[in-house]
Amino acid sequence: ARLHINDIWDYKEDSPVGKGRYASIFPARRKALDDTGEEHRCDQERVQNGGGGNNCALKIIDKAEFWRLVLKGRERCDTIVRELAVQSTLTAKFATQPTLLQIRGFFETSEKIVIELELLDGRDLFEYISSKGVLEEKEAGLIIRDVLVALNSMNRADIAHRDIKPANILMTKREEQGSSVKVADFGMSTLVGVDGLVRGRCGSPGYVAPEILKAEAGEGYRNQVDIFSAGVTLYLML
């Protein structure tokens, strides 16, 4: 393919707002897809549906770095496929759910994978807690309510997040979007198996549920493990 990332989006490659082991997050704007100077029909529909127009966030994955981690045994080879499958499923089922970060598109080059997401204000719950110290009970209650609404939707879709923590919960402007936070980062998420169980040891130290830590090789557990992590998050807020 002759298309490059810059052919589709305007963004500053040297100004990421977040950076992980193999991916970086950039604020961006999708370019018009025709020569008329008008927004493409899909972008016009996005504005009408409250999608924020052409403004978006790009999660750009470095394939070489990702596969280096896979070869070292520090990352699973199906991580990106699972993340896309989970987030696409949630967006398709719960497009109007204000507590789940929505996916807008996907693009791939020989060196990069790009996941186009809705753009928020760029601050996560961990940064918010760090700036305030301790949250009032009322505010913490509103935030954890939004997290639990998101987890309830995921449970109905037979999906486990498996990495609920403040850094993966993004702040929004309540008066504009009807919600205080959105659950994001589905890199460790997975679909529940036909037996109703999830398999695989993963999660963040301090937040991971005991059921995951105690699971033997090949042993499954239910997706309610996310509730434990939500409880730790609430404890941290208070």
Side-chain angles (χ1 to χ4, degrees):
R2 296 179 180 178
L3 280 175
H4 298 281
I5 299 174
N6 287 319
D7 293 327
I8 304 176
W9 295 279
D10 282 320
Y11 76 104
K12 295 181 179 179
E13 297 183 45
D14 58 347
S15 302
V17 294
K19 192 172 180 63
R21 293 187 300 169
Y22 56 83
S24 298
I25 307 293
F26 301 87
R29 180 174 178 81
R30 179 183 277 267
K31 295 180 178 179
L33 300 182
D34 54 39
D35 297 322
T36 64
E38 298 181 358
E39 290 184 337
H40 190 268
R41 178 177 58 83
C42 294
D43 295 321
Q44 293 173 346
E45 291 175 353
R46 184 182 298 161
V47 174
Q48 294 168 1
N49 294 328
N54 287 3
N55 293 322
C56 60
L58 300 183
K59 181 175 183 178
I60 301 181
I61 297 167
D62 185 320
K63 288 185 182 180
E65 183 61 23
F66 173 75
W67 287 112
R68 188 183 70 82
L69 293 173
V70 171
L71 291 173
K72 282 189 165 187
R74 296 174 56 191
E75 193 59 69
R76 288 178 50 174
C77 62
D78 64 344
T79 294
I80 298 171
V81 173
R82 283 187 293 104
E83 179 176 359
L84 286 166
V86 163
Q87 200 150 11
S88 298
T89 298
L90 291 174
T91 298
K93 285 180 175 288
F94 307 106
T96 59
Q97 174 60 269
T99 62
L100 290 166
L101 188 69
Q102 304 290 311
I103 186 173
R104 291 183 175 177
F106 170 82
F107 179 69
E108 184 175 8
T109 70
S110 59
E111 298 177 345
K112 307 288 185 182
I113 289 175
V114 181
I115 304 175
E116 182 184 8
L117 304 163
E118 63 175 316
L119 181 65
L120 301 181
D121 66 5
R123 185 160 58 160
D124 61 48
L125 181 59
F126 183 83
E127 294 170 326
Y128 185 69
I129 296 171
S130 299
S131 68
K132 298 196 71 171
V134 176
L135 273 58
E136 296 292 333
E137 285 190 15
K138 181 178 180 180
E139 184 176 24
L142 292 172
I143 290 173
I144 204 65
R145 173 209 172 268
D146 288 345
V147 173
L148 293 175
V149 167
L151 293 182
N152 181 55
S153 296
M154 295 182 71
N155 183 59
R156 287 160 53 197
D158 289 328
I159 289 172
H161 189 283
R162 299 194 296 184
D163 199 23
I164 294 294
K165 61 181 180 180
N168 290 339
I169 299 169
L170 305 182
M171 306 301 296
T172 71
K173 296 179 180 178
R174 176 176 291 276
E175 67 275 13
E176 293 180 5
Q177 303 195 33
S179 174
S180 58
V181 298
K182 287 177 180 273
V183 172
D185 199 337
F186 297 88
M188 293 188 189
S189 301
T190 190
L191 298 169
V192 176
V194 292
D195 58 358
L197 300 177
V198 181
R199 289 174 173 80
R201 297 187 70 182
C202 62
S204 297
Y207 298 94
V208 61
E211 292 93 329
I212 296 179
L213 296 176
K214 292 179 179 179
E216 301 291 341
E219 185 179 357
Y221 47 87
R222 299 197 176 275
N223 64 347
Q224 286 91 336
V225 292
D226 289 329
I227 297 297
F228 180 90
S229 304
V232 177
T233 299
L234 177 59
Y235 178 83
L236 187 65
M237 286 192 285
L238 298 174

